[in-house]
Every structure is written in structure tokens, then in C-alpha cells.
Amino acid sequence: GAAARRCLDLALACAPRSYYVWQVSGQWHRRQGQLSSAREAFRRSLQLNGANVATLHAWGVLEWRCGHTDLAATLFQQGLHIQPHNKYLLQSWACMEARCGSAASASRLFAAAARKQSADGAVWQARGMHYRAQGDVERARRAFATGCSLEPTHTPLFHAWGSMEAEVSNVTAARAIFQRGVWERPSHPRTVGLWVSWALLEERCGDLKAAREYLRAALRAERFCVFARAAWAALEARQGDCAASRQLYEDALRIDPANRGVWSSYEAMERAARRPAAADLIHARSRRAADLA
């Protein structure tokens, strides 16, 4: 964080009238939770280039997440006046409306995004997830299927669709969709989520051999994937093999020593195994790792 801040300050000193540097500054401050500084940076960016749609989008997302939905909608709308076909603005506005319970408005915006970016898998993924959140599985299924046919290499679409089918206990369909997704991009790092979700589905179905095979495939696709190791560690803990779980958590933490989620799951595993001393030691190690990050 400190190194990034120094680089950002240097960039602003070298190019104080660069709208792009101010935009990046705003995004950095937003990620740090420094919202007043983020807003000021976005304002400076727009003063230098009022047609910078990326800044309008980033600022709108900030206000949406802060609960200022009217201001967010105004910023999204300003961006769409400049670029009416911008999928990021349409999707973010649609997602915001959906979260606020404005299903009709969200559907209208998702439909607009699909019309203007008809072959973009991300648009159909967002639309399908909206319908899923509304409980309309059939419309979600049609949206996912349309997106997969238009952009068959869009791995997150297959992941979202397969996960939905697994959630509604349509196991045969979920397996087929996960298989299609990994066939489209075999051994690609983006298939990791597909492999892991497929593995968890097989665990629920009692096929632990297949589950472990798919987790190995996930690690072949992305050798240093912390997420896949943590998922495998949790699976082994659920099966009562704490030694295997422990080794996988340690492997994950060698890759990402400051990963709070992994530390928390590791500690919880030891407490569930009634090893309070080991859990306390892991907690202390996690605190030291956080201090060093």
C-alpha cells in the first residue's frame, strides 16, 4: 500500500493535469476506503475531462455502495448520455436497481445492455443472475444459454449457469454445463472456479474420488491458486482428514501469507477438531502475518 501510494503521488506530481491519473487516484483511494479523497480525485478527473465515462462509472459505483443511489443513477445517466452503448454503465445501473428491489427498471436496463452488446457474455451473465435473484430460473436459464451460445469461451457464464443448476438440484445439467465450460478452455486459469464448483457438487453427491480429481485439475489450471487449495482443505476437513486439510492450508499460506480468509478457515478447522492450542497458535500467526503485510 505504501509503495503504491508513493507511485501515485509521483504520477500526480509529474502529470497534475492528467485526467487519467486523477481517475486512477480515485479508484485507489476507493479501494483503501478513503471515500472523501476518492470523490475529490474523481471530481478533479472530470474537471479535466468531463467526457471521461470511466470516471463517471467508478464514481457511480462508489456512491451506489455507499447507499447514495440517486447520485449514482445521475452519474450513470451522465455517462450514458456520452456513451449510450456502454455495457459497464448499463450493467452497474441495472444491478443497483435490482439490489434496490426495482425489478422492472433492472430488467429494462439489462434488456438495453443485451440489445446494445448482444454478443457480450458478461451482459448475458449479469442478466441471468438478475433473473436468478428474482427466483425466475427459466428466464435465467435462457439468458445463460443465449450468452454461452454467443460467446462460448466466456467461462464465468458457464460457472454462473452450472452453479444455478446445482443450487436447484439439477445435478445432471450442472455436470454437463461445467463439462462444456472446461472443454471450451481446457487448462486455462479461468476454469479454476468451474473445477472447484464441480468438485463441491460431486462432494455433495458423495463422489469424493471425482471431487478430488477435479480439485487436482483446478491446480493444474492454476498451479498457485490459493482459492482452490483452501476449498480442498475445507473438503478434507469435512471428511475428517484434518492432517490433509492442515497441509493444504499451510500450502495456501505459503503462497499468500496475508490471506485473512485462509487463516480464519484454518483456525476454525482446528477449533472444530477440538485443538484449541493449535487454533490459538494459528490465530497468533495470522496476526503477525497481518502486521507484516
Side-chain angles (χ1 to χ4, degrees), residues 8 12 20-30 37-38 41-42:
L8 190 57
L12 287 169
Y20 179 70
V21 173
W22 282 108
Q23 174 195 326
V24 172
S25 175
Q27 291 168 323
W28 185 84
H29 283 294
R30 185 186 70 183
S37 296
F42 289 145

Side-chain angles (χ1 to χ4, degrees), residues 95-130:
C95 289
M96 182 181 78
E97 295 293 338
R99 297 278 177 85
C100 292
S102 302
S105 178
S107 295
R108 176 179 58 79
L109 288 161
F110 279 125
R115 285 194 304 272
K116 293 171 181 178
Q117 301 284 343
S118 60
D120 192 309
V123 170
W124 290 102
Q125 178 191 351
R127 194 175 187 183
M129 292 174 73
H130 164 63

Side-chain angles (χ1 to χ4, degrees), residues 224-265:
F224 297 107
C225 182
V226 171
F227 160 66
R229 281 180 171 80
W232 196 345
L235 179 149
E236 297 300 350
R238 287 191 292 272
Q239 300 309 314
D241 191 344
C242 291
S245 177
R246 196 171 292 119
Q247 183 60 58
L248 285 158
Y249 279 129
E250 291 289 347
D251 290 346
L253 289 167
R254 274 192 286 273
I255 298 167
D256 185 2
N259 191 305
R260 288 182 293 180
V262 175
W263 282 114
S264 178
S265 297

